[in-house]
Amino acid sequence: MLDRISELSRETVRGEPTIAELGTGPLESLLGDEETTQYVLASTSAIEHTVDGQTTSIEPDDGHGAYVVVTDHRLYALLGDEPTTAMVTLALGGVTQSTFDDGLLRTTLTARTPAESVVFHPIDAEQAAAAEAYVDRVGSCWSELSTALDDARAGLDALREAIEASETVDRHRQHARARLSKAYHCATQEDDAPTAAMRAQIEPVEDELDRLCAVATADEVETRLEAARSAHEDGDYETAFETLVAAGESLDGASEIDDAVEDRFEALRETHDELAATFLERAAQRCQDALDAATAPERVDAWEDALDRYRAIAAAGWTAAAGVTEEMVRFQLVWVVDRCVGALSTAAAELAAQGDERGEGHADAVDYYERALERLRRAEQLSDVHPEAGDSFADRIDALETKAERAQWQWGGED
């Protein structure tokens, strides 16, 4: 292979070899893994290399030429008499400016980075123009990719710090995702960009983001489960079930990242299912408490509490947790409403009867009638919201309001 490069070098001095004659095989010893040659430019002139303002002329020995090799990752400048060593190597992503000048006397290709530059005088102007356009185009992709990945890594650092400090992570998570989206755009925006190689640089960053997001999700689920438990104990059933359902949805969408995170998710799923089962058992127990209650007020209180629980379950969008489907919850809610309306109606009738026993002129009669009206109005409210619960209570309410007004008037008149 090295002999072939030397032979090409001597051919360059003797005449103008075509790209087909130069080929890419002899240059493969220079390339990194997954690096592919795009252009090979030959010259009989020296390579001008400038570093920090100091220019060095790199000249081949007599009888050999000089080459610039453009790959999908880098630009190499080498001499035909030293084919195993690149005299200059520039990463395409580091090239801030590339120019092509096809002058009357000679063609010039220039590539610059912030620290150095290479000036080369190729024999084939057409290929040099194509190579310069490639360096400019794909170099921009590499440069933008590097910036996007640096931003994404900064986002990962901020996300990691937020997780460790138990702070909100959404902003950092969204920022890192947006930067990775930009990185993927860089890898695919040009048809001749080395998409596979670019994706290979993106994937480790994306994997780390996925892992950190999984950790953050686990933290959020753990916090939600504790909040659901606390809210349920405080009687805030709406918050309890909304939070529990949200935790379950997060667990359903959790990705398998590694064994440690997956083990944690599995433990959280067990906690979620235990809480769901406990919450449902307590709701069912309140129904049983209502059925077993010895007095009308106890029955009403138990049914109202059960109703609050099942309404909260239905409103939260329950989805088959603990083996209870949304349809089962709706069916149970209808039954609880019906029983609650019945209990309210019975309690109202008992209170109205106690008012009647005392007589319309008795001071306590008004109180009994008012309390009976509260029960009936609550029953009517439930019937309006849930028509399947029973008939209208309008006539009974009208009759009780008349009794209450008359009792109030007579009791007040006696004074």
Side-chain angles (χ1 to χ4, degrees), residues 23 37 101 117 132 134 163-164 172-173 190 198 219 267 274 279 287 293 335 342 356:
T37 300
D101 181 21
S117 66
E132 186 279 326
Y134 181 86
I163 291 172
E164 292 173 354
H172 303 299
R173 181 161 45 196
E190 298 292 346
M198 290 180 169
D219 289 347
E274 289 170 1
F279 290 0
C287 294
W335 179 72
D356 291 342

Side-chain angles (χ1 to χ4, degrees), residues 217-375:
T217 297
D219 289 347
E220 290 169 356
V221 168
E222 188 172 23
T223 299
R224 283 174 173 165
L225 292 177
E226 186 55 38
R229 188 197 310 275
S230 178
H232 190 267
E233 291 174 355
D234 293 341
D236 184 359
Y237 304 129
E238 183 176 342
T239 298
F241 286 105
E242 283 181 356
T243 308
L244 185 65
V245 168
E249 290 173 348
S250 295
L251 287 171
D252 289 341
S255 302
E256 294 186 9
I257 302 299
D258 56 39
D259 291 342
V261 175
E262 183 55 31
D263 288 346
R264 190 177 175 197
F265 277 134
E266 189 59 34
L268 289 170
R269 290 186 184 98
E270 291 179 4
T271 301
H272 170 272
D273 293 346
E274 289 170 1
L275 281 179
T278 298
F279 290 0
L280 289 170
E281 287 171 3
R282 291 183 182 176
Q285 183 58 51
R286 292 303 283 153
C287 294
Q288 189 59 49
D289 292 343
L291 294 172
D292 295 340
T295 66
E298 290 175 341
R299 273 193 299 277
V300 169
D301 288 346
W303 283 124
E304 287 279 17
D305 187 56
L307 177 57
D308 288 343
R309 294 170 188 263
Y310 282 108
R311 271 185 163 177
I313 297 172
W318 195 265
T319 54
V324 176
T325 66
E326 187 176 4
E327 184 178 357
M328 293 166 67
V329 170
R330 288 198 301 267
F331 180 84
Q332 182 74 0
L333 178 59
V334 170
W335 179 72
V336 170
V337 170
D338 181 70
R339 291 305 183 106
C340 189
V341 168
L344 287 164
S345 177
T346 300
E350 290 183 4
L351 289 167
Q354 289 175 326
D356 291 342
E357 289 176 2
R358 282 157 178 75
E360 293 181 354
H362 195 282
D364 291 342
V366 176
D367 180 60
Y368 281 108
Y369 290 146
E370 291 294 343
R371 287 161 59 196
L373 279 170
E374 288 178 4
R375 303 297 192 277

